[in-house]
Amino acid sequence: FDPTLMIEGVYTYEVNGIGCIPASAELTIDVENQLIAGNDAELDICQNLESYNLSDLLSANAMSGGQWYNDNDELIDSSISLIDFDGPNYTYILEGVLCPNDEAEFIVNVDEPVFAGPDQVLVFCENEGLIELENYISDPGLLDYSWTDSEGNAVGANYNPGVQTSTDYYYNLESGN
């Protein structure tokens, strides 16, 4: 029997004897499909989400029915808390009966949410000269950031009240996720 060429089912084996009634036996053949846990992956996610379903990391070719394990090889639910995060390594395992087990490894990196600081209203005299907007944010050296105007256009980090019109400026932090 070649499982790659033949289908599973009931097969009959028959023996003919000389002067005897033929005898037969039936073999029921079941074929276990090769297990596919999918591809390994890595996820960068922000902690401002309370939870994440690890099953969303499974590739399209992954078979369902597997189980999730954490760093300590403990069986866990597929939904993990990002607030009380116990990662970063997770394993999805499909256990075979006859075929070997298959597994996919996942790394989940959780970053703390970024905080740009409180909103502020700044008032300047029009002859004050060039104002460095970074002087009014909480900590400009920590993260990558950009400035935009009220229409979402990128602007520089300096403001000149004698040249530029009054508008809202937005300090946008980049978390990496």
Side-chain angles (χ1 to χ4, degrees):
F1 181 83
D2 184 347
T4 62
L5 300 175
M6 302 170 74
I7 61 171
E8 61 186 4
V10 178
Y11 289 84
T12 304
Y13 173 72
E14 190 171 296
V15 177
N16 291 318
I18 298 175
C20 297
I21 301 174
S24 65
E26 289 186 350
L27 296 173
T28 302
I29 297 178
D30 292 323
V31 177
E32 180 180 31
N33 292 325
Q34 178 182 351
L35 302 174
I36 301 172
N39 302 326
D40 297 349
E42 186 168 351
L43 171 70
D44 294 316
I45 193 166
C46 186
Q47 193 179 36
N48 62 357
L49 298 172
E50 289 184 17
S51 64
Y52 184 80
N53 191 328
L54 293 171
S55 295
D56 292 342
L57 290 172
L58 295 174
S59 55
N61 65 336
M63 299 170 92
S64 62
Q67 296 184 317
W68 289 96
Y69 295 86
N70 64 12
D71 276 344
N72 300 320
D73 292 325
E74 298 168 329
L75 180 65
I76 61 167
D77 188 66
S78 65
S79 181
I80 59 169
S81 169
L82 299 180
I83 305 302
D84 300 319
F85 186 63
D86 68 347
N89 299 309
Y90 296 94
T91 306
Y92 178 71
I93 299 176
L94 286 166
E95 294 183 9
V97 176
L98 300 173
C99 292
N101 295 348
D102 193 32
E103 64 183 51
E105 301 285 332
F106 300 92
I107 299 172
V108 178
N109 302 306
V110 178
D111 289 336
E112 291 184 19
V114 295
F115 178 64
D119 292 346
Q120 300 179 51
V121 175
L122 305 173
V123 180
F124 303 105
C125 179
E126 77 176 333
N127 67 354
E128 196 162 334
L130 194 61
I131 311 253
E132 293 183 22
L133 297 175
E134 278 94 357
N135 292 334
Y136 299 93
I137 58 177
S138 58
D139 192 350
L142 287 180
L143 299 168
D144 292 330
Y145 62 91
S146 62
W147 289 91
T148 57
D149 63 16
S150 59
E151 295 178 6
N153 300 311
V155 296
N158 295 317
Y159 175 74
N160 189 333
V163 176
Q164 294 169 282
T165 59
S166 295
T167 186
D168 292 332
Y169 283 82
Y170 298 94
Y171 174 63
N172 306 296
L173 290 176
E174 302 296 326
S175 73
N177 295 327

